[in-house]
Amino acid sequence: MTAPQTYTPAPAADFVLPFSMPHLGIRGRVVRLDSVSARALSAHELPEAAGRTLGEALVLTTMLGSSLKLDGRLTLQTKTSGPMDLLAVDYYGADEDRDRAGLRGYARVDEAKVAALGDEARAFRNLAGAGVLCITIEPKLGDQSYQGIVALSPDSIAASAEAYFWQSEQLPTAIKLAAAPAYVPGDKTPTWRAGGIMLQAIPEKDRSEDDWNRLSMFLETIEDMELLDTDLAAEDLLWRLFHEDEVHVHTPEPLDFYCGCDGERIARILRSYSAEDREGLADPDGIIRARCEFCGVVHAVAPKDLSSAN
């Protein structure tokens, strides 16, 4: 394994670590989330199966967004017929206001339907049902937005992303994701951890089909705990998997939870409505309260905030 001379090892969690095997025409990323995933999943109490899927989606969106060096936002969204009929994750690239990329996520779940499924809800095909995976890229400046849509795989959200890359770019891709509630001694409430690793063919690079199949098989041997264990360094995980090959690790990129919800923007939107349209939106005290589904923050808009003078 090789690294830049000034290389700083990846932190225990909340990072994305790019790596490559240029002689094989393959690149990849390792992601591990701890405080970021815990914060993202704290806004709503979800059934465990839905929490696992949202945690995996946070990791997958990090892989996609960070690979683009994005100055803007990448959104991963599913719309389906199952009890978890909507899932949305946003990746915000670092900019002049934030020196780290940010993540947020939300899953909408019909808990009664999940309860009726019982243990069958653990299967992704039963939780999500039929639907689509949509990836939207919104650059902050310059380039136009891009949107790609693929049918959701009944197997997993990772399998859906693999199909997306093959259909949109003809790039062989292998992804392994994991998420689980982590229990800390003395605390009855678990926090969520999530992690994953991705391998992908480098465009316009020659590669051996045998090498690709061999490395993809190595990826399948990873245990969920290896992806989630904050005591296992990402570099050590790569060594376990690919010590027979020359792996180049690049500079790790730290991640934060970030939500762009804005109370003033909500007030501006409400001011554009007529008084009749706003009828019935306020609580008995006259204040309109809007709860952000991503972070759980409740924005209070008072009558004075709705005057045209603001």
Side-chain angles (χ1 to χ4, degrees):
M1 185 178 296
T2 63
Q5 291 184 345
T6 58
Y7 178 77
T8 300
D14 300 323
F15 68 87
V16 52
L17 176 65
F19 65 92
S20 61
M21 291 174 267
H23 61 295
L24 298 180
I26 293 172
R27 63 188 176 187
R29 289 179 179 262
V30 177
V31 176
R32 184 179 293 140
L33 305 177
D34 187 6
S35 64
V36 170
S37 51
R39 177 65 184 86
L41 272 77
S42 68
H44 296 274
E45 185 175 349
L46 294 171
E48 185 170 314
R52 289 181 186 273
T53 302
L54 179 55
E56 292 177 358
L58 287 164
V59 173
L60 175 59
T61 307
T62 300
M63 292 172 172
L64 301 178
S66 63
S67 66
L68 297 174
K69 304 295 182 185
L70 185 66
D71 180 18
R73 178 172 67 174
L74 182 145
T75 299
L76 182 147
Q77 188 174 29
T78 64
K79 293 183 179 180
T80 67
S81 62
M84 187 184 68
D85 66 338
L86 175 67
L87 184 149
V89 178
D90 289 322
Y91 171 94
Y92 296 88
D95 57 22
E96 64 276 6
D97 299 320
R98 303 184 323 278
D99 60 357
R100 296 185 177 192
L103 282 168
R104 67 177 189 170
Y106 166 69
R108 185 172 66 194
V109 180
D110 186 325
E111 296 194 20
K113 290 183 179 179
V114 172
L117 284 172
D119 289 344
E120 292 182 0
R122 295 178 183 177
F124 181 74
R125 67 182 67 238
N126 297 329
L127 180 67
V132 296
L133 171 71
C134 177
I135 296 172
T136 305
I137 301 169
E138 300 173 279
K140 202 169 186 179
L141 297 171
D143 295 340
Q144 292 184 339
S145 297
Y146 164 84
Q147 188 173 79
I149 299 175
V150 67
L152 194 69
S153 168
D155 297 325
S156 67
I157 199 164
S160 304
E162 292 171 353
Y164 168 82
F165 277 114
W166 182 250
Q167 291 183 25
S168 64
E169 303 179 43
Q170 286 73 56
L171 284 179
T173 304
I175 300 171
K176 188 75 177 286
L177 303 173
Y183 290 85
V184 177
D187 190 348
K188 294 182 179 180
T189 303
T191 59
W192 279 89
R193 287 184 188 167
I197 185 169
M198 176 175 74
L199 287 179
Q200 189 172 68
I202 300 175
E204 301 177 1
K205 281 267 191 178
D206 292 333
R207 66 182 182 278
S208 160
E209 195 68 23
D210 289 342
D211 283 330
W212 173 258
N213 292 335
R214 175 174 60 86
L215 296 177
S216 299
M217 288 177 61
F218 288 166
L219 213 65
E220 287 299 316
T221 67
I222 301 176
E223 299 289 340
D224 287 359
M225 191 59 195
E226 293 179 286
L227 295 172
L228 304 176
D229 185 2
T230 54
D231 291 328
L232 175 61
E235 295 85 357
D236 291 342
L237 174 60
L238 291 174
W239 175 256
R240 286 184 183 181
L241 289 170
F242 309 126
H243 58 271
E244 296 179 357
D245 300 283
E246 184 180 346
V247 179
H248 295 203
V249 290
H250 306 289
T251 304
E253 303 164 21
L255 302 164
D256 279 335
F257 175 85
Y258 172 74
C259 185
C261 64
D262 182 353
E264 175 53 34
R265 180 162 57 86
I266 294 171
R268 285 198 304 271
I269 294 172
L270 289 171
R271 284 197 293 270
S272 70
Y273 295 171
S274 67
E276 290 77 14
D277 290 336
R278 294 198 299 264
E279 189 72 29
L281 295 180
D283 290 332
D285 59 2
I287 294 177
I288 298 176
R289 293 176 173 83
R291 185 181 189 274
C292 176
E293 298 289 6
F294 285 94
C295 67
V297 170
V298 177
H299 298 279
V301 182
K304 65 180 179 62
D305 299 322
L306 299 176
S307 68
S308 57
N310 283 293

